[in-house]
Amino acid sequence: MTLKIDISGLSSDRVRFAASPLAELTAMLHVLAEPGHHPQLAGWAADVWAGLRPELAERLREAEFLWRSSQADFLIPARPRPTLAEELDDVDRIDDETYVTAALVTTCGSNRIHFRGASPLTDTAARERALDVAQARGALQEAFAERLLADPAAVRSRVRHTLEECAAAFFDDAWAGAAVQLATDLRQKNELLKRHGLAAALASVSGAITLAPDGDCIVVDKVQDKATAARDTGVTFIPSVFGRPHLVAVHAPGWHPVVQYPVAEPSPAEPVSLETVTLRLEALAHPVRLRLLRTLARGPHTTAELAHFWELSPPEVSRHLAVLRRAGLLTARRQGRYVRYTLNLPDLTALGADLLAAVLR
């Protein structure tokens, strides 16, 4: 499962690496709403919540649907500006239809198909459909959607005011430190892009982002099957200090493709691909293979030993061992006439964490 960004015919100067204050604030707000996704920042989140004025804390909870489960597209700028105020001005220039649709998608946790065609701002049936979807998500989401559809200008103004207050409350201090890391990362990415090309720059972003062999498509390893095109608009990559472990992608029709990626840690672990995680889960789904792993967990065994232990035929055992080897869960070592199989314990142990990382990506 992947997100594919078509860049066929796109000149190199249309691929941009840039920092965004608004995108980083959005990442911080997501941490505050979902600290469980970011255990390394749990202390920071607790300190911020403890220092917030009650009114601001309430407003953050009121609008958290814009950044909790996913981020509204307008909060990840396609053309980053130097300051948060400039980026919020750009958001203000978005028409109500575009803003409301993006907000409803994140608020309702729904697919954009619910909002195609007639506008929920002007069409009664479309409005009721949007509110039904929001209601299914909970009373708070429904109330937010109702306010948004009844008076989008008021909600937009309130959201902007909330974000501006976040600047003084915690963002400015956090941004001062993060901006240094982001600047270092951007120098590296832009130097790689200039000297070695897009493939090298993407490889330094994340092992989950690659350039297709023909150079016409950027492939992002995520739990989704989506496609978008950057041929006319270009594509923007935004680094984030607070975004780990997420790769956030703006890919909806009509929006400039944007990928927000976590800056590298001092010794980053290479992310395990979703394909590998899926292969391992499928390998473990068969009861016979689980029995074989149980025996191999106690030490190396040959095919014949495993067949004898579990009263299976050697060819049947060989087939199951081949599946486990393809998934990277076994290693084989020849000792004289015999091949002994050993459980790859570190990768099996990490499977839960790898699955979580792939899902959160």
Side-chain angles (χ1 to χ4, degrees), residues 213-228:
D214 61 7
D216 285 345
C217 183
I218 296 171
V219 181
V220 185
D221 188 39
K222 288 179 70 70
V223 188
Q224 57 187 15
D225 282 309
K226 301 287 185 180
T228 187

Side-chain angles (χ1 to χ4, degrees), residues 21-61:
L22 178 56
E24 194 67 2
L25 172 56
T26 303
M28 293 178 194
L29 293 172
H30 174 73
V31 172
L32 293 176
E34 287 285 6
H37 290 186
H38 310 268
Q40 77 278 14
L41 293 171
W44 174 86
D47 289 343
V48 170
W49 278 120
L52 289 181
R53 293 185 299 103
E55 181 188 359
L56 178 56
E58 179 60 30
R59 289 213 306 273
L60 286 180
R61 294 188 180 97

Side-chain angles (χ1 to χ4, degrees), residues 208-288:
I209 302 179
T210 56
L211 184 66
D214 61 7
D216 285 345
C217 183
I218 296 171
V219 181
V220 185
D221 188 39
K222 288 179 70 70
V223 188
Q224 57 187 15
D225 282 309
K226 301 287 185 180
T228 187
R231 291 190 301 270
D232 298 325
T233 59
V235 58
T236 302
F237 290 87
I238 298 176
S240 173
V241 171
F242 284 78
R244 182 171 301 280
H246 305 304
L247 277 173
V248 179
V250 175
H251 56 78
W255 291 89
H256 176 132
V258 184
V259 176
Q260 184 186 37
Y261 64 91
V263 297
E265 294 177 329
S267 299
E270 189 70 16
V272 176
S273 71
L274 178 60
E275 180 182 3
T276 298
V277 173
T278 302
L279 196 63
R280 290 174 179 172
L281 291 174
E282 290 172 347
L284 296 174
H286 198 290
V288 170

Side-chain angles (χ1 to χ4, degrees), residues 137-268:
R137 297 281 291 174
L140 292 177
Q141 288 94 328
E142 182 185 20
F144 185 83
E146 285 178 342
R147 290 194 299 273
L148 183 66
L149 289 169
D151 192 348
V155 171
R156 293 179 65 163
S157 176
R158 185 172 175 84
V159 169
R160 172 165 182 155
H161 183 57
T162 299
L163 297 177
E164 289 172 334
E165 289 210 2
C166 287
F170 61 87
F171 173 73
D172 287 346
D173 286 343
W175 175 250
V180 177
Q181 293 177 256
L182 299 179
T184 300
D185 181 84
L186 289 171
R187 280 195 298 272
Q188 179 201 36
K189 300 297 187 293
N190 284 306
E191 187 70 13
L192 282 170
L193 183 63
K194 178 182 177 181
R195 294 184 177 275
H196 301 286
L198 181 56
L202 294 179
S204 72
V205 169
S206 169
I209 302 179
T210 56
L211 184 66
D214 61 7
D216 285 345
C217 183
I218 296 171
V219 181
V220 185
D221 188 39
K222 288 179 70 70
V223 188
Q224 57 187 15
D225 282 309
K226 301 287 185 180
T228 187
R231 291 190 301 270
D232 298 325
T233 59
V235 58
T236 302
F237 290 87
I238 298 176
S240 173
V241 171
F242 284 78
R244 182 171 301 280
H246 305 304
L247 277 173
V248 179
V250 175
H251 56 78
W255 291 89
H256 176 132
V258 184
V259 176
Q260 184 186 37
Y261 64 91
V263 297
E265 294 177 329
S267 299

